[in-house]
Amino acid sequence: MASYIATASFLLSTLFTALVLCQSQAQLNSTFYATTCPNVSSIVSTVLQQALQSDPRIGASLIRLHFHDCFVNGCDASLLLDNSANIQSEKNAAPNTNSTRGFNVVDNMKTAIENSCPGVVSCADILALAAEAAVSLAGGPSWSVLLGRRDSLTANQAGANTSIPSPLESLSNITAKFTAVGLNTNDLVALSGAHTFGRAQCRLFSSRLYNFNGTGNPDPTLNSTYLTTLQQTCPQNGSGFNVANLDPTTPDGFDNNYFSNLQNNQGLLQSDQELFSTTGAATISIVNTFSSNQTAFFQSFVQSMINMGNISPLTGSSGEIRTDCKKVNGS
């Protein structure tokens, strides 16, 4: 009898473990809104196409929102919450303040979706869909976005200050931040390739132009012709808020030129150039592969975006579906 009970309890625990594993893998899926909001992808894409007409960098800005959201408490749209009595907004964290943009476009997407399928689609999923649409519309790959995330009830400003990789950090520090959220070196290089479009403010790289690491000289890994161009865009005593193209060759197109730029010492951010210029780094061979093979880059990028989108989502009955992405329901 005892052995029967032991066997039965073992079978039950095995079944439970299998169910948990199955559930964790099935939490997100590409057909989550197939019956409740079948046009959600096209709605997101239409709003983005409208925004691109007046703002060619908005696609890159939206993919950055997804990135900065996922690295803090997972992909839960916590980044979108404004300050309130109970919430210290992540928008005011150092990596985001006067830097992240595109929140109005996310609001426009949410409004259009609510008009079509009220109370169904999360803001976290809108960020994931917008990132895919941004890449696809810029000539990059398309993919089936996994969906089913729910929205957080809180934000984590302190986490945003510590968890989001900085363009001024060493490769080893950035790698550690990727590892902390379950992403590997291939993910790091592939996702850095999103810097094939968009802009960056001078304040994020001006130290490379004039006084790198306190040497009083420019960063020696910076191409001298490129240096001169950047110094014209970013004068030494300027405001720091002028912007430069992350990819000087095809600034608004999604391609593999970013990696060729690194090989030519034309990475804009320190965190970009380090992928190729850090002696002995495991990232160098990946940069070389992506530079010579755009298909390999696109395939890795898609998988890494899916991996990033899988960071700690709220699912099931956790969190909520916000009506307004800027605030928790009922607040």
Side-chain angles (χ1 to χ4, degrees), residues 317-328:
S317 58
S318 300
E320 65 180 15
I321 305 297
R322 281 183 219 145
T323 303
D324 179 340
C325 292
K326 298 184 296 297
K327 59 187 184 182
V328 174

Side-chain angles (χ1 to χ4, degrees), residues 68 112 119 268:
H68 282 211
L268 183 65

Side-chain angles (χ1 to χ4, degrees), residues 16-330:
F16 178 73
T17 304
L19 281 170
V20 168
L21 283 171
C22 180
Q23 187 180 20
S24 69
Q25 289 165 352
Q27 282 175 336
L28 304 182
N29 66 78
S30 60
T31 57
F32 191 82
Y33 300 113
T35 55
T36 54
C37 196
N39 297 325
V40 63
S41 294
S42 60
I43 295 171
V44 166
S45 184
T46 298
V47 174
L48 177 53
Q49 287 176 66
Q50 292 167 347
L52 281 165
Q53 290 173 5
S54 58
D55 183 2
R57 62 188 281 221
I58 191 63
S61 299
L62 291 172
I63 201 171
R64 187 163 179 250
L65 291 184
H66 185 42
F67 169 48
H68 282 211
D69 178 43
C70 289
F71 266 67
V72 183
N73 289 16
C75 309
D76 61 356
S78 58
L79 172 59
L80 304 180
L81 291 171
D82 282 343
N83 271 332
S84 70
N86 304 314
I87 287 167
Q88 278 193 302
S89 177
E90 292 172 22
K91 295 177 183 178
N92 297 327
N96 296 325
T97 187
N98 296 318
S99 178
T100 45
R101 57 194 298 278
F103 297 106
N104 58 321
V105 178
V106 175
D107 288 338
N108 291 343
M109 290 172 175
K110 180 63 171 172
T111 299
I113 292 167
E114 287 297 303
N115 288 338
S116 183
C117 349
V120 170
V121 179
S122 68
C123 301
D125 278 346
I126 291 173
L127 289 179
L129 287 164
E132 189 278 338
V135 172
S136 176
L137 289 169
S142 301
W143 65 95
S144 295
V145 180
L146 301 185
L147 301 165
R149 300 168 193 80
R150 290 168 64 85
D151 298 323
S152 71
L153 305 175
T154 57
N156 184 0
Q157 189 182 104
N161 276 319
T162 57
S163 300
I164 295 171
S166 158
L168 305 173
E169 280 187 294
S170 68
L171 178 57
S172 58
N173 281 9
I174 292 170
T175 301
K177 289 184 175 182
F178 272 73
T179 302
V181 293
L183 300 177
N184 63 25
T185 303
N186 200 74
D187 296 318
L188 164 58
V189 180
L191 293 172
S192 295
H195 288 173
T196 180
F197 65 169
R199 320 281 182 266
Q201 295 173 1
C202 293
R203 65 192 178 97
L204 298 177
F205 58 87
S206 58
S207 62
R208 299 187 70 208
L209 310 183
Y210 301 103
N211 185 20
F212 185 61
N213 289 347
T215 60
N217 295 307
D219 183 342
T221 63
L222 200 50
N223 176 292
S224 57
T225 308
Y226 189 42
L227 170 64
T228 303
T229 303
L230 292 175
Q231 287 174 331
Q232 291 168 352
T233 304
C234 306
Q236 189 155 14
N237 298 311
S239 71
F241 288 100
N242 289 353
V243 295
N245 295 323
L246 282 159
D247 175 356
T249 57
T250 50
D252 297 320
F254 198 98
D255 52 35
N256 67 334
N257 286 10
Y258 167 84
F259 299 103
S260 306
N261 296 339
L262 300 186
Q263 292 173 323
N264 296 327
N265 290 328
Q266 288 184 303
L268 183 65
L269 306 176
Q270 177 184 330
S271 55
D272 292 324
Q273 194 58 51
E274 282 172 339
L275 297 175
F276 187 72
S277 298
T278 303
T279 305
T283 51
I284 297 171
S285 63
I286 306 172
V287 169
N288 290 335
T289 297
F290 291 164
S291 173
S292 64
N293 187 339
Q294 182 166 276
T295 302
F297 165 50
F298 281 7
Q299 289 174 342
S300 285
F301 183 81
V302 166
Q303 187 57 55
S304 293
M305 284 296 292
I306 292 168
N307 294 346
M308 185 177 79
N310 280 335
I311 299 172
S312 306
L314 297 171
T315 58
S317 58
S318 300
E320 65 180 15
I321 305 297
R322 281 183 219 145
T323 303
D324 179 340
C325 292
K326 298 184 296 297
K327 59 187 184 182
V328 174
N329 293 344

